[in-house]
Amino acid sequence: MVPTTTEPADRISRRQVDKFEERRRQLADAALLTLSELGYARTSLREIAQNSEFSHGVLHYYFRDKVELITYCVRRYKALCVERYDGIVATAAEPDGLLRGVADGLAATLEQDALLHRLWYDLRTQSLFEASFRADVAEIDGSLERMIWRTVEAYAALVGARPTCTSAFAYATVDGLFQQALLRHLAGTPDALDGLRDGVRRQLPTLVGA
């Protein structure tokens, strides 16, 4: 096959796009700490710049405003969460193992990344008031709902049953347990993580039946 004259230019263009995206990822990772500590309302691009090695001008070059930066950060983090739980589901060989894996995974991420999850709930609440957030929040919510539904379907298959609810109901159930556990954990309640583990192990089986 004879290369066309546009192929070198295409390769350069792709490299430029990849480099731009990699820089956005670096900026987002640097911004996450400030965002998770201060939340949406108290954070500006200037505040983020003051707490990172990047200037306000650099942040503004790669992100139009803090809305774009925050949604990019949360979308990136939640995508990693989905990959993590899909791995747990894919390797589970028996029902109890799946329940333990999912429950322990949720408790671990709540403990390790509580401030990041708080930022997600902050963003979701803001979408009730800020129309600019709604499409991104709906997309992230959809990915999390599908993740939970894959877990429910996997558990149902392992016990030889089938789901008895909708994916929206399953997501609302698990998300409610998680959010309440997050509130208790941030308030310093000692058994918040154990309560989440127990709640998930008890609740998931109720979502399937013969």
Side-chain angles (χ1 to χ4, degrees):
M1 178 179 178
V2 179
T4 66
T5 56
T6 62
E7 285 182 347
D10 289 343
R11 286 196 297 271
I12 292 172
S13 177
R14 285 195 295 271
R15 284 199 299 270
Q16 290 173 337
V17 170
D18 291 343
K19 186 175 180 180
F20 183 84
E21 186 60 25
E22 176 59 29
R23 189 61 162 168
R24 279 164 61 90
R25 286 194 290 266
Q26 292 173 356
L27 291 169
D29 290 344
L32 263 178
L33 179 60
T34 301
L35 287 167
S36 61
E37 288 179 347
L38 299 181
Y40 167 78
R42 296 168 57 199
T43 306
S44 65
L45 287 183
R46 194 170 301 280
E47 184 80 28
I48 294 169
Q50 290 173 352
N51 287 277
S52 72
E53 60 183 294
F54 303 104
S55 70
H56 180 257
V58 168
L59 287 171
H60 233 308
Y61 177 77
Y62 286 93
F63 297 97
R64 291 189 305 271
D65 50 32
K66 76 171 184 177
V67 171
E68 184 180 20
L69 175 58
I70 291 173
T71 53
Y72 183 92
C73 288
V74 173
R75 183 195 299 273
R76 176 168 159 74
Y77 175 71
K78 287 298 185 180
L80 294 175
C81 288
V82 169
E83 290 180 9
R84 187 184 309 156
Y85 294 115
D86 280 347
I88 294 172
V89 171
T91 56
E94 44 90 19
D96 288 342
L98 175 60
L99 291 178
R100 286 195 304 273
V102 172
D104 289 344
L106 288 171
T109 189
L110 189 151
E111 182 178 28
Q112 296 165 10
D113 299 322
L115 296 183
L116 296 178
H117 293 296
R118 182 178 69 176
L119 177 62
W120 157 241
Y121 286 114
D122 186 12
L123 179 64
R124 194 163 74 176
T125 299
Q126 289 297 327
S127 72
L128 297 174
F129 305 94
E130 297 274 355
S132 55
F133 281 132
R134 287 172 191 160
D136 290 292
V137 165
E139 184 175 338
I140 296 169
D141 250 337
S143 71
L144 297 174
E145 179 179 326
R146 290 188 294 273
M147 176 193 78
I148 296 301
W149 189 242
R150 287 192 292 272
T151 302
V152 172
E153 288 185 316
Y155 180 80
L158 288 171
V159 298
R162 56 187 177 184
T164 57
C165 65
T166 64
S167 62
F169 183 89
Y171 176 49
T173 299
V174 176
D175 183 63
L177 289 171
F178 189 86
Q179 186 176 18
Q180 289 299 309
L182 176 63
L183 289 170
R184 290 195 295 272
H185 179 67
L186 292 173
T189 304
D191 64 348
L193 300 178
D194 287 338
L196 175 60
R197 291 188 187 94
D198 184 63
V200 171
R201 288 196 297 262
R202 288 174 179 271
Q203 194 63 35
L204 276 178
T206 70
L207 304 178
V208 305

